């Protein structure tokens, strides 16, 4: 029986913040259906591919995605009908050409990516292969080290912390499944510590705690080290720290404005000094977006000063776009890239971005968005791409856990072949 695409349908659903997003269904002639949902960021980079929203104030405050849904059903579906879904690159290319703009402004990156991912799923399912094996081949066997955002600030919470993400990285665990136990235990230890110190323990968008009574941007680092120890682990050896200040979100007119914590305005050099000081005091292995996306010089300086010791990840500055990653590699702007499928808008282009990182000897971290769905595509995708790190939130909120739980499932499925290794050693 033919495996060709028979029909593509799409609908508007809600993400983890209660905002509309798109879910797409790709049905094949053999009856297989591949389904995919697209996430949505809050601290987005200026050069991300366009997330098409309706702008109709009468629906969801203008955030509806019915135009993107219509683009899937009326423009993309008729063009892809009859094509074999294993022709992923060709299908993505057809959609890119149908759109014909640099940032997917006609059809919307949300529309295109939903089809791209659903096509990929349908193909894997039709062939009877797990998604990670379909994309990554039979040698895909490495589980990523998770970066778990246990304390949320910045654009992801109404907290007193300017920096967006404070993550724990259980790099010393023997397996991914054990890494998740280390992380969950530390998360609960942190909850106890926050409670004892009189802080609130409600959580932010990515499931990390979001107290609004912390006195500085540094305090989360101290509390996390305390939590790691309280949970019975060795800071740095069993569990390390990763940061994503998401500095673009507080970069204004050439200055870093730390208004929430009351730390005032800082220059690029001052931020670099703060980060260097923290790296000398805390077991930090990775800093993402320590500087703003316009501050290429600051990024490069940070990389020159501490890039030999820790991972310097570019998120908003590279937006998973090969054009910006190439420039970064040429200039020595960072040594790692955050990979978000919806920043660029198709599976094939994301794979291209990763290929570029590999060729340059850079690392890459596959990532969720702060607005997520129960779609766990990135779990399989990370294993397939031999991505040695994933960041997909804390150890609570099911839109975060579904990715981690899927990775535990993959580890179980791989059995003795599964590998879990410290990517920083
Ligand atoms: P976002 O946050 O999804 O809101 O952009 C995640 C990140 O900055 O890494
Ligand atoms: Zn980021």
């Amino acid at each position: 029986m033919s495996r060709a695409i028979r029909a593509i349908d799409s609908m508007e659903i809600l993400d983890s913040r209660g905002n509309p997003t798109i879910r797409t269904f790709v049905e094949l002639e053999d009856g297989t259906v591949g389904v995919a949902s697209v996430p949505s960021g809050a601290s987005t980079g200026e050069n991300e591919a366009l997330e098409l929203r309706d702008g109709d104030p009468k629906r969801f405050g203008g955030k509806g995605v019915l135009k993107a849904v219509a683009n899937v059903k009326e423009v993309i579906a008729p063009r892809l009908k009859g094509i074999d879904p294993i022709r992923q690159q060709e299908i993505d290319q057809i959609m890119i050409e149908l759109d014909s703009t640099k940032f997917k402004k006609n059809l919307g990156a949300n529309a295109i990516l939903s089809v791209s991912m659903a096509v990929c799923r349908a193909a894997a399912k039709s062939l009877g292969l797990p998604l990670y094996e379909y994309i990554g081949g039979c040698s895909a066997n490495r589980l990523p080290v998770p970066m778990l955002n246990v304390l949320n600030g910045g654009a992801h919470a109404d907290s007193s912390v300017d920096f967006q993400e404070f993550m724990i990285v259980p790099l010393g665990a023997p397996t991914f499944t054990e890494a998740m136990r280390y992380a969950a235990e530390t998360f609960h230890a942190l909850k106890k510590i926050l409670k004892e110190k009189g802080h609130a323990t409600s959580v932010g968008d990515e499931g990390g705690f979001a107290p609004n009574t912390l006195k500085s941007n540094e305090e989360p680092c101290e509390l996390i080290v305390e939590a790691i120890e309280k949970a019975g682990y060795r800071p740095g050896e069993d569990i390390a720290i990763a940061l994503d200040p998401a500095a673009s979100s507080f970069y204004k007119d050439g200055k870093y404005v730390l208004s929430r914590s009351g730390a005032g305005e800082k220059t690029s050099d001052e931020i670099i000094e703060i980060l260097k000081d923290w790296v000398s005091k805390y077991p930090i292995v990775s800093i993402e977006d320590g500087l703003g996306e316009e501050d290429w010089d600051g990024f490069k300086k940070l990389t020159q000063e501490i890039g030999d010791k820790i991972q310097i990840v570019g998120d908003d500055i590279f937006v998973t776009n090969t054009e910006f990653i190439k420039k970064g590699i040429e200039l020595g702007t960072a040594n790692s890239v955050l990979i978000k499928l919806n920043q660029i808008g198709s599976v094939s282009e994301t794979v291209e971005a990763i290929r570029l990182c590999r060729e340059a000897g850079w690392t890459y971290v596959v990532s969720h968005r702060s607005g997520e769905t129960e779609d766990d595509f990135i779990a399989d995708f990370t294993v397939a791409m031999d991505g040695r790190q994933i960041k997909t939130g804390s150890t609570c909120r099911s839109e975060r856990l579904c990715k981690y739980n899927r990775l535990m499932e993959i580890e179980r499925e791989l059995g003795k072949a599964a590998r879990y290794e410290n990517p920083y050693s």
Side-chain angles (χ1 to χ4, degrees), residues 333-363:
T333 307
N335 58 31
S336 184
V337 178
L338 200 78
I339 299 290
K340 290 167 168 166
L341 286 135
N342 82 324
Q343 279 181 331
I344 188 68
S346 73
V347 174
S348 309
E349 289 165 290
T350 309
V351 172
E352 253 341 285
I354 290 175
R355 181 172 299 155
L356 205 53
C357 297
R358 281 200 189 132
E359 282 169 6
W362 281 27
T363 56

Side-chain angles (χ1 to χ4, degrees), residues 244 288-289 315 391:
D244 177 10
E288 173 190 335
D289 286 1
D315 172 11
K391 78 162 192 176

Side-chain angles (χ1 to χ4, degrees), residues 50-97:
L50 180 83
E51 183 177 76
L52 184 63
R53 297 213 177 259
D54 300 340
D56 171 2
K58 292 199 279 312
R59 295 188 75 254
F60 297 110
K63 289 189 171 170
V65 293
L66 295 182
K67 282 184 187 162
V69 166
N71 286 342
V72 171
K73 295 210 262 202
E74 291 157 25
V75 185
I76 297 174
R79 184 66 185 76
L80 298 186
K81 197 165 178 264
I83 301 180
D84 188 333
I86 69 165
R87 307 186 71 82
Q88 182 78 42
Q89 294 190 50
E90 191 182 318
I91 288 169
D92 288 343
Q93 200 50 44
I94 289 171
M95 291 192 283
I96 290 164
E97 281 165 23

